[in-house]
Amino acid sequence: MRIHAIIFFLLISAGRLSAQNFDPAEVEKIEKTLSSDAMQGRATFTPGIEKAADFIEAQFRQAGLKTLNGGASYRQPFTMLATKPISASATIDGQPLSADRIVVVSASTQIKVDDHSGFEKAFIKAGAPFVPEVLKYIKEKKNMLVLVDSSFAKAFPRLAHFTRQQFKSDNTIVFLLTSTDPATYSVTAEQEVTEHQLANVVGILPGKSKKDEYVIFSGHYDHLGIGKPDAKGDSIYNGANDDASGTTAVIMLARYFAKQKNNERTLVFATFTAEEIGEFGSEYFSNQFDPAKVMAMFNIEMIGTESKWGTNSAYITGYERTDMGKILEKNLTGSGFTFYPDPYPQQNLFYRSDNATLAKQGVPAHTISTSKMDSEKYYHTAGDEIGTLDMKNMAAIIRSIAISSKSIVDGKDTPSRVDTQQLR
Ligand SMILES: [Zn+2]
């Protein structure tokens, strides 16, 4: 009886401790600040997002996190370019090509390319998957001439989207909409180029014994900013759920693990910029790691509302790609909380969030979410405000992420890798 009583007491006090560490009132405080009108919807390249970054930095400092490279700041800066086309002209086999059939992706203001420039030639043939093909060539670190079949005439103008924001690169990629394979060509283009500084906010807790093995907890802190006023005259897209909720989780988890002081692996707490305009923040962040050293990534995206199964549940994107979900489930046994496989596979969430860059390199990198992607009422609207979220459930989810990650944080479990051959 006595031993049982002691175990019972220990269980109760352990439970109380965890619950205390994930107090809904604390969750609410952070969430309220991040989603307040003062942060103006946290759009990338605006003063609002700078305020958010300052706040997250202060939170990381208070929690006692170290900076990623031992510097003074938790900001992880990088440069992006914004370009605005001024003019473009081209000839192929001596025949002029109209400007709307030319898209140039480049960091230069003046571009002059012809068949003597040594550009590698590539084709996007009729019937090929347009966007993945385009992305593939944009990510090639080469000068390229890409000939896009005329059957893509409707999609071609969308290419301009990829030129508006880009990482600084020495390479130029010229896309021409034509079904011919020209023997000679020349392209001239002029554009305005401006440089922008961006920053992720990143803090770490070095591991006690496995310092070179990383476990990442992340979410994006940018959102859509200020848009057209809705029926109520509200024009601020507060992004309380998307993704102030994930950012709040990262801060709460940082506090928790910093207090525990017993992580064997190095924990990385990352909040990303520029997700909404193309996941640039997480792409930059992810490429600073040797993927072989990243044991797991818990990306947290939109956990403020009930999942389709109600409270005390969430889903994991790409669940079947690794055994990480099974490990989390095992650690949650008896907690009353359930992680399900992603119920919206047709939405390709595994490829659409900040886990994607590392997942494509084989890392067990998953996104945890509760968002009802077929019916989430306030998704990408000015109505995505704190009043629509459930703080108690959010606290329970954050706590469950902490509990479920324990054996991975302790270095006892290592999730299997994503088989990159199986990815599209
Ligand atoms: Zn969003």
Side-chain angles (χ1 to χ4, degrees):
M1 264 318 279
R2 191 167 162 72
I3 286 171
H4 279 115
I6 287 171
I7 289 170
F8 182 69
F9 174 75
L10 286 175
L11 283 174
I12 292 283
S13 48
R16 256 218 316 264
L17 183 72
S18 298
Q20 252 171 26
N21 282 318
F22 299 99
D23 180 2
E26 281 303 309
V27 171
E28 184 170 8
K29 254 196 232 165
I30 303 169
E31 171 65 57
K32 205 172 187 171
T33 308
L34 284 168
S35 64
S36 71
D37 281 356
M39 302 228 169
Q40 301 174 318
R42 309 184 304 279
T44 307
F45 308 126
T46 67
I49 197 170
E50 291 302 315
K51 272 193 191 173
D54 288 344
F55 171 73
I56 299 163
E57 274 209 278
Q59 291 294 317
F60 282 181
R61 187 162 294 122
Q62 234 173 54
L65 301 191
K66 302 260 190 299
T67 57
L68 191 55
N69 298 314
S73 172
Y74 295 99
R75 275 180 161 82
Q76 179 187 51
F78 59 97
T79 304
M80 283 196 65
L81 303 178
T83 62
K84 217 162 101 189
I86 297 169
S87 66
S89 63
T91 60
I92 50 174
D93 291 330
Q95 297 295 312
L97 195 70
S98 59
D100 59 344
R101 291 176 162 256
I102 307 162
V103 170
V104 177
V105 182
S106 176
S108 311
T109 52
Q110 307 279 345
I111 298 109
K112 236 177 136 37
V113 179
D114 62 29
D115 41 286
H116 301 296
S117 306
F119 274 41
E120 191 173 311
K121 216 191 260 178
F123 299 88
I124 300 182
K125 297 255 166 71
F130 183 65
V131 172
E133 286 285 292
V134 166
L135 286 174
K136 183 177 88 191
Y137 293 122
I138 286 179
K139 286 188 174 153
E140 291 266 5
K141 304 228 171 324
K142 289 179 198 162
N143 288 320
M144 299 199 79
L145 174 77
V146 182
L147 299 154
V148 181
D149 189 84
S150 296
S151 60
F152 291 109
K154 247 177 110 179
F156 193 78
R158 284 185 5 225
L159 267 178
H161 165 82
F162 294 102
T163 71
R164 261 181 258 140
Q165 308 290 348
Q166 50 186 290
F167 284 118
K168 214 172 167 176
S169 154
D170 296 332
N171 306 303
T172 291
I173 302 151
V174 177
F175 292 93
L176 298 181
L177 182 66
T178 173
S179 296
T180 53
D181 175 6
T184 66
Y185 66 89
S186 97
V187 180
T188 310
E190 200 181 334
Q191 61 177 1
E192 208 179 280
V193 180
T194 40
E195 283 196 11
H196 292 283
Q197 296 299 320
L198 282 82
N200 298 316
V201 185
V202 184
I204 69 164
L205 288 173
K208 276 166 61 190
S209 59
K210 301 183 173 190
K211 283 193 190 336
D212 275 349
E213 297 186 3
Y214 299 100
V215 178
I216 299 168
F217 297 93
S218 63
H220 71 90
Y221 75 97
D222 70 304
H223 191 55
L224 300 167
I226 298 174
K228 276 199 203 113
D230 64 10
K232 289 184 192 150
D234 183 5
S235 61
I236 298 177
Y237 285 61
N238 302 78
N241 197 21
D242 183 10
D243 187 28
S245 68
T247 304
T248 300
V250 173
I251 292 170
M252 290 297 291
L253 290 164
R255 283 185 189 176
Y256 171 76
F257 285 113
K259 252 195 257 171
Q260 301 294 107
K261 282 202 187 76
N262 59 5
N263 52 295
E264 298 295 339
R265 286 179 164 142
T266 294
L267 307 186
V268 183
F269 302 91
T271 60
F272 304 127
T273 184
E275 190 269 352
E276 302 284 7
I277 59 169
E279 290 147 21
F280 294 108
S282 59
E283 189 179 336
Y284 181 82
F285 166 87
S286 301
N287 287 330
Q288 309 311 307
F289 285 89
D290 171 358
K293 292 182 177 170
V294 183
M295 300 298 122
M297 180 189 211
F298 295 78
N299 187 57
I300 307 158
E301 169 96 90
M302 296 190 275
I303 53 161
T305 56
E306 271 183 24
S307 79
K308 66 176 278 190
W309 304 278
T311 56
N312 290 311
S313 65
Y315 61 85
I316 303 177
T317 67
Y319 189 98
E320 66 292 345
R321 305 247 173 224
T322 74
D323 66 3
M324 187 160 139
K326 293 262 179 297
I327 294 170
L328 308 190
E329 246 177 65
K330 176 193 76 181
N331 293 337
L332 280 173
T333 307
S335 71
F337 194 96
T338 313
F339 280 133
Y340 292 94
D342 171 12
Y344 314 103
Q346 67 288 356
Q347 297 240 17
N348 292 318
L349 299 175
F350 188 57
Y351 302 96
R352 264 174 59 193
S353 194
D354 289 316
N355 64 295
T357 302
L358 281 170
K360 283 177 195 158
Q361 299 176 68
V363 174
H366 299 270
T367 293
I368 296 169
S369 180
T370 58
S371 182
K372 296 176 284 300
M373 292 311 287
D374 51 355
S375 63
E376 198 61 55
K377 195 170 168 200
Y378 298 107
Y379 177 67
H380 281 199
T381 72
D384 179 2
E385 298 193 10
I386 189 167
T388 66
L389 306 187
D390 178 345
M391 291 300 124
K392 219 178 124 204
N393 189 44
M394 218 171 111
I397 295 164
I398 300 168
R399 178 168 172 257
S400 300
I401 294 170
I403 295 171
S404 68
S405 69
K406 185 160 186 346
S407 63
I408 300 173
V409 169
D410 286 350
K412 287 182 188 133
D413 280 326
T414 302
S416 61
R417 315 289 290 178
V418 171
D419 179 358
T420 54
Q421 299 298 314
Q422 301 291 317
L423 299 180
R424 32 172 211 118

